Amino acid sequence: MAGKVWFVGAGPGDPDLITVKGRDLITRADAILYAGSLVSKAATRWAPAGCEVLDSKGMALEEIVTWLIENANSHKTVIRLQTGDPGLYGALIEMVQPLDANHIEVGVVPGVPSAMASAATALESLTLPEITQTVILTRVEGRTPMPPGESLAELAQHHTTLCLFLSITLLQKVESELLAAGWQEDSPIVVVHKASWPDEEKVVRGTLADIRDKCRLEKINSQAMIIVSPTLGARHWPTLKKSKLYDASFSHRFRRGVTLEPTS
Ligand code: SAH
């Protein structure tokens, strides 16, 4: 009987950020194919003796799929360990379709996306009451073309929080598209390199005008999240609009609000 292939999100780098479910699967895995150096530590730390652990670096998608199918035919628990969450820029569906075609059972365990880890590292909130209530996870166009209507210049017109994956080598393009969308030269930007990696993470704060130079000085040209948001730096703002969630007059499922005005 064929085994099951699990796509497990390893989280953004710190092996402690894998979910308990993901770690438990690793501890009883028969074979693990992990995606490069970003997730190797989680794989090697928790895998049992005798488990085949292989880096997929250098393997084409077809080879990865073949490996998963072959291992699922001879083992019970096969893991494809991916950085962050498998559903974000992870070629998940390209791998699942051939497994479906081979009638192999598939499961996904979510992981902490690097956008969330980056916000945590920089101590930023991606949403703030009456500032922005929306987060767009996107990238700028590189070799993968953007679908119509999804250029950064178009998405940025909403002036919401933008988390840009896979774009650190394209900062000049980020800058010009944001300016085209009406952001100012002094709009704040934070770049987080290797978020959550113990002793390796770096936070670079700047503006649209100077972030490229600052990243160049810090030699950041890979594994970095770019966050552009009207919420950046709010930790140091003197006044904030308070969230309704903790407002004494606001009722929700778990708490009845105090009525401040007499009702008829
Ligand atoms: N599935 C992953 C994203 C993979 S795409 C996730 O959920 O996060 C790879 C991109 O993710 C990188 O180009 C970078 O923009 C971002 N990234 C991955 N790990 C990161 C980390 N530890 N710190 C900052 N950015 C990271």
Side-chain angles (χ1 to χ4, degrees):
M1 206 192 81
K4 181 163 177 172
V5 174
W6 288 92
F7 292 86
V8 175
D14 180 349
D16 285 351
L17 284 179
I18 194 167
T19 62
V20 173
K21 181 165 183 167
R23 189 188 65 192
D24 286 352
L25 274 169
I26 290 177
T27 61
R28 56 188 169 83
D30 301 299
I32 301 174
L33 187 62
Y34 66 90
S37 62
L38 270 171
V39 293
S40 64
K41 284 203 182 108
T44 45
R45 186 179 287 190
W46 310 114
C51 172
E52 185 180 353
V53 180
L54 186 69
D55 188 350
S56 65
K57 191 173 60 201
M59 283 167 95
L61 193 76
E62 265 175 35
E63 294 169 271
I64 291 175
V65 167
T66 304
W67 190 95
L68 292 174
I69 293 171
E70 279 174 9
N71 277 277
N73 284 330
S74 52
H75 294 304
K76 189 160 172 274
T77 305
V78 178
I79 294 182
R80 167 67 179 161
L81 194 61
Q82 298 191 223
T83 162
D85 182 86
L88 285 170
Y89 309 104
L92 176 64
I93 302 305
E94 291 97 311
M95 289 183 273
V96 168
Q97 280 190 350
L99 295 174
D100 283 345
N102 282 271
H103 310 288
I104 292 165
E105 211 188 332
V106 174
V108 177
V109 179
V112 176
S114 52
M116 302 306 141
S118 298
T121 295
L123 224 155
E124 297 289 353
S125 177
L126 301 182
T127 61
L128 272 182
E130 297 180 44
I131 303 295
T132 184
Q133 295 286 283
T134 305
V135 181
I136 296 177
L137 306 182
T138 188
R139 60 178 298 174
V140 286
E141 184 164 280
R143 274 177 302 176
T144 305
M146 292 303 277
E150 291 189 30
S151 72
L152 185 59
E154 285 163 289
L155 295 176
Q157 283 176 16
H158 296 282
H159 287 257
T160 64
T161 295
L162 298 157
C163 297
L164 306 179
F165 291 72
L166 300 160
S167 302
I168 191 65
T169 57
L170 301 165
L171 269 176
Q172 191 164 14
K173 196 172 173 120
V174 170
E175 192 184 319
S176 63
E177 297 213 21
L178 288 173
L179 290 174
W183 292 67
Q184 304 298 310
E185 293 261 351
D186 63 355
S187 298
I189 292 202
V190 60
V191 169
V192 184
H193 173 65
K194 288 197 160 185
S196 88
W197 282 68
D199 306 324
E200 289 184 69
E201 58 184 9
K202 270 188 197 165
V203 178
V204 179
R205 292 176 190 278
T207 61
L208 271 193
D210 65 14
I211 195 72
R212 205 148 43 96
D213 286 344
K214 287 186 168 179
C215 286
R216 199 182 305 126
L217 278 177
E218 293 286 340
K219 299 189 172 57
I220 296 175
N221 49 29
S222 68
Q223 293 174 25
M225 179 63 47
I226 305 165
I227 304 178
V228 199
S229 174
T231 67
L232 293 181
R235 186 185 190 183
H236 306 294
W237 294 354
T239 51
L240 279 183
K241 307 271 187 197
K242 293 286 183 327
S243 167
K244 292 267 188 287
L245 188 59
Y246 301 109
D247 187 327
S249 66
F250 187 66
S251 296
H252 60 68
R253 230 176 98 206
F254 304 109
R255 192 186 61 216
R256 187 174 296 255
V258 179
T259 306
L260 299 176
E261 303 274 310
T263 49
S264 52

